[in-house]
């Protein structure tokens, strides 16, 4: 099938490339000339495991190309809108990119078309997209369906190729439904849930908000574990083995971040208030998560004896999670800023996110590798669990530091092993096993 993707960011590029891999003929469109130029030369603009090779393979096979113009829409059967929906100052979703994309699609289309919205949009946006296309191109037949995306950055290719489910909101439009079924047919035995358009839009927000609530919940349980001597890693295992609960998203840490959970929870909470149906659980999760970054900086200060002025803190891992270069709403930004406010000298390292982090972190030193960041420091903070960090030799790391204090905000290391390596170790919610910091700043 001939397909156009409008918006070639994390979602659009992964969607377009994977649809080409499935055998469709795909054009990915973006307004960003540099991005499209780079992609034509085989340069992948985002860090996403497996993506660059898949782009090259499909471009070579003639199934995938890139453009700044919309001419491919005229010959496409389906168009996916995958542009950004960033938050407005009041937390609601900014739909300007989506409506501009819809207008451009309307102007470029020449025949019957199915327009699928992959961007995360508030319930009812499908109606506005439909209006935008109709006013740009009165008299032509088209269908607007909602097809929310559930991929996770860092494992986006696998998530797209092996999704738990595909959700299609077509309001019973049989032609649109058949086109969407044909798009996804090469995936094989994947549940395709056909629902109303508004329902599909809500499935996306409700899913993200639920996962965000789970993270915020386990983080508050972690705090209670610390206060009561329980170990949240074991509590989470004990909870997660219950199939009604599930093990995912029960890892205590510095709070959720990234381009989706923070903005989608705020947008859902706003929609709840606007519709006289507040989603109080989500509002509580937002509040809890917002407070967490400062609380994590406080944990570092306590681990260092209560005063970090003039002390060097090495922060390992900046992106909101491993496997991506995305720094949007990364917890590290708030933690680094609070540590700097408290007077610490901060050094940072990240395997993929340093370029994106440069404009966000202010006056910090960017180290070439983890060892260089940690060497001579008074504390090492693990903020994101990149594989490379798990392979570090803790003994040499501790020995290279001025004071071997470790604050493991991801509970990635075994507290006993860290202590054996010479670290004064603090994890998150590990009240029962955390090694009480022996170090106290000398008066
Ligand atoms: P992004 O900012 O990385 O990419 C959006 C792209 O769209 C940019 O490259 C921009 O230049 C381009 N664009 C904007 N207007 C355009 C237009 N009129 N024509 C052509 N290109 C245009 O955004 P993203 O992270 O890929 O997210 C896209 C949408 O998908 C958002 O609604 C997001 O909430 C949703 N989503 C994101 C993820 C994720 O993990 N990033 C997962 C699921 C859903």
């Amino acid at each position: 099938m001939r397909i156009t993707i409008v918006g070639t960011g994390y979602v659009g590029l992964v969607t377009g490339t994977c649809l080409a891999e499935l055998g469709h003929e795909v054009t990915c469109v973006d307004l960003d000339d540099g991005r499209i130029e780079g992609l034509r030369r085989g340069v992948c603009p985002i860090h996403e495991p497996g993506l660059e090779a898949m782009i090259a393979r499909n471009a070579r096979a003639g199934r995938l190309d890139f453009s700044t113009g919309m001419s491919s829409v005229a010959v496409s059967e389906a168009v996916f809108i995958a542009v950004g929906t960033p938050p407005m100052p009041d937390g609601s979703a900014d739909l300007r990119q989506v409506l501009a994309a819809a207008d451009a699609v309307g102007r470029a289309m020449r025949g019957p078309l199915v327009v699928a919205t992959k961007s995360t949009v508030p319930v009812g946006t499908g109606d506005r997209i439909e209006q935008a296309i109709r006013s740009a191109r009165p008299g032509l037949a088209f269908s607007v369906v909602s097809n929310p995306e559930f991929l996770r950055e860092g494992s986006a290719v696998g998530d797209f190729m092996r999704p738990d489910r595909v959700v299609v909101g077509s309001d019973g439009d049989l032609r649109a439904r058949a086109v969407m079924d044909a798009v996804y047919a090469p995936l094989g035995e994947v549940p395709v849930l056909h629902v109303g358009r508004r329902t599909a839009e809500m499935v996306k927000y409700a899913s993200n908000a639920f996962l965000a609530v789970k993270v915020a919940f386990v983080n508050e349980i972690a705090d209670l574990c610390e206060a009561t001597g329980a170990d949240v890693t074991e509590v989470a295992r004990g909870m997660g083995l219950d199939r009604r609960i599930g093990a995912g998203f029960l890892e205590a840490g510095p709070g959720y971040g990234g381009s989706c959970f923070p903005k989608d929870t705020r947008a859902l909470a706003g929609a709840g208030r606007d519709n006289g149906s507040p989603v109080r659980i989500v509002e509580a999760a937002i509040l809890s998560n917002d407070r967490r970054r400062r609380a994590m900086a406080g944990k570092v200060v306590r681990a260092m004896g209560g005063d970090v002025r003039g002390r060097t803190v090495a922060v390992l891992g900046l992106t909101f999670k491993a496997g991506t270069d995305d720094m949007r709403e990364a917890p590290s930004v708030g933690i680094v800023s609070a540590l700097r406010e408290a007077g610490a000298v901060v050094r940072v390292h990240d395997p993929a996110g340093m370029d994106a982090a440069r404009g966000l972190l202010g006056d910090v030193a960017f180290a070439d590798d983890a060892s260089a960041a940690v060497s001579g420091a008074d504390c090492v903070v693990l903020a994101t669990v990149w594989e490379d960090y798990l392979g570090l030799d803790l003994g040499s790391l501790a020995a290279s530091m001025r004071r071997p204090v470790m604050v493991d905000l991801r509970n990635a290391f075994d507290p006993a092993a860290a202590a054996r390596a010479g670290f004064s170790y603090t994890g998150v919610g590990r009240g029962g096993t955390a090694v009480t910091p022996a170090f106290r700043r000398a008066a």
Side-chain angles (χ1 to χ4, degrees):
M1 185 185 299
R2 198 74 181 78
I3 293 172
T4 298
I5 312 286
V6 185
T8 307
Y10 284 85
V11 168
L13 185 55
V14 171
T15 301
T17 307
C18 290
L19 289 178
E21 181 80 3
L22 292 175
H24 300 300
E25 277 179 71
V26 181
T27 300
C28 289
V29 176
D30 205 285
L31 297 174
D32 183 337
D33 299 338
R35 171 165 291 225
I36 293 301
E37 257 320 297
L39 280 162
R40 284 182 174 150
R41 283 184 279 109
V43 180
C44 181
I46 57 174
H47 177 95
E48 193 56 54
L51 186 59
E52 195 162 56
M54 199 182 257
I55 292 171
R57 186 162 63 242
N58 285 283
R60 255 196 323 273
R63 288 190 299 266
L64 179 63
D65 64 8
F66 301 96
S67 175
T68 50
M70 299 286 282
S71 57
S72 62
V73 169
V75 291
S76 292
E77 269 184 80
V79 171
F80 288 82
I81 294 180
V83 298
T85 48
M88 300 280 273
D90 68 355
S92 63
D94 181 348
L95 294 177
R96 281 176 295 186
Q97 290 181 39
V98 169
L99 295 175
D103 176 70
V105 170
R107 288 171 195 278
M109 73 188 204
R110 294 287 174 270
L113 193 63
V114 174
V115 180
T117 312
K118 273 244 165 271
S119 302
T120 302
V121 293
V123 176
T125 303
D127 303 359
R128 296 180 65 186
I129 293 173
E130 201 170 294
Q131 274 159 22
I133 298 175
R134 186 164 298 120
S135 19
R137 194 39 98 107
L140 263 192
F142 65 93
S143 310
V144 174
V145 307
S146 166
N147 175 217
E149 183 50 59
F150 300 98
L151 60 77
R152 295 164 298 174
E153 289 178 17
S155 52
V157 171
D159 288 348
F160 192 94
M161 299 303 269
R162 291 178 297 281
D164 291 337
R165 79 303 206 187
V166 170
V167 176
V168 176
S170 60
D171 280 345
D173 176 335
L174 293 181
R175 196 184 68 84
R177 184 178 160 146
V179 168
M180 295 303 286
D181 280 342
V183 167
Y184 288 107
L187 285 178
E189 293 295 304
V190 167
V192 179
L193 186 67
H194 286 283
V195 294
R197 194 161 67 192
R198 285 170 179 248
T199 301
E201 291 166 339
M202 183 60 94
V203 169
K204 174 63 190 175
Y205 274 113
S207 300
N208 270 5
F210 186 80
L211 294 173
V213 166
K214 229 177 151 185
V215 173
F217 178 85
V218 82
N219 281 339
E220 293 205 338
I221 294 296
D223 292 347
L224 191 54
C225 284
E226 265 172 37
T228 55
D231 181 338
V232 76
T233 61
E234 289 168 2
V235 171
R237 203 172 320 137
M239 291 170 65
L241 284 169
D242 185 328
R243 272 170 299 183
R244 295 170 303 176
I245 297 172
F249 292 81
L250 282 182
E251 283 160 0
Y256 60 75
S259 68
C260 292
F261 285 8
K263 85 172 169 60
D264 294 349
T265 45
R266 277 182 219 128
L268 183 68
R273 288 191 295 274
D274 291 348
N275 286 283
S277 182
V279 197
R280 294 191 185 88
I281 290 172
V282 175
E283 294 195 4
I286 295 168
L287 193 64
S288 170
N289 197 66
D290 284 349
R291 290 183 176 161
R292 191 122 190 110
R293 286 149 206 212
R294 201 152 277 277
M296 293 299 102
K299 182 187 269 296
V300 175
V301 173
R302 280 195 304 283
M304 294 178 74
D307 187 358
V308 295
R309 279 173 298 167
R311 299 289 185 198
T312 300
V313 180
V315 177
L316 298 185
L318 299 173
T319 51
F320 80 97
K321 64 147 107 167
T324 181
D325 56 352
D326 201 338
M327 282 295 298
R328 288 177 282 186
E329 301 256 4
S332 66
V333 177
I335 294 169
V336 166
S337 148
L339 287 172
R340 288 183 51 236
E341 266 172 42
V345 175
V346 181
R347 281 192 218 144
V348 299
H349 175 262
D350 189 278
M354 303 258 268
D355 286 345
R358 268 176 223 281
L360 300 172
L361 296 183
D363 187 16
V364 303
F366 288 84
D368 289 338
D369 57 42
S371 307
V374 174
S375 176
D378 299 288
C379 174
V380 55
V381 177
L382 185 76
T384 307
V385 196
W386 285 90
E387 232 12 72
D388 312 16
Y389 299 149
L390 297 179
L392 288 170
D393 178 54
L394 290 185
S396 325
L397 209 62
S400 77
M401 296 177 69
R402 190 156 53 192
R403 292 169 195 255
V405 176
M406 177 188 282
V407 182
D408 179 2
L409 295 180
R410 300 285 181 172
N411 291 335
F413 293 106
D414 171 23
R420 274 198 306 279
F423 275 110
S424 165
Y425 176 93
T426 306
V428 175
R430 300 178 119 173
T433 50
V435 179
T436 309
F439 159 71
R440 289 286 176 271
R441 185 184 168 129

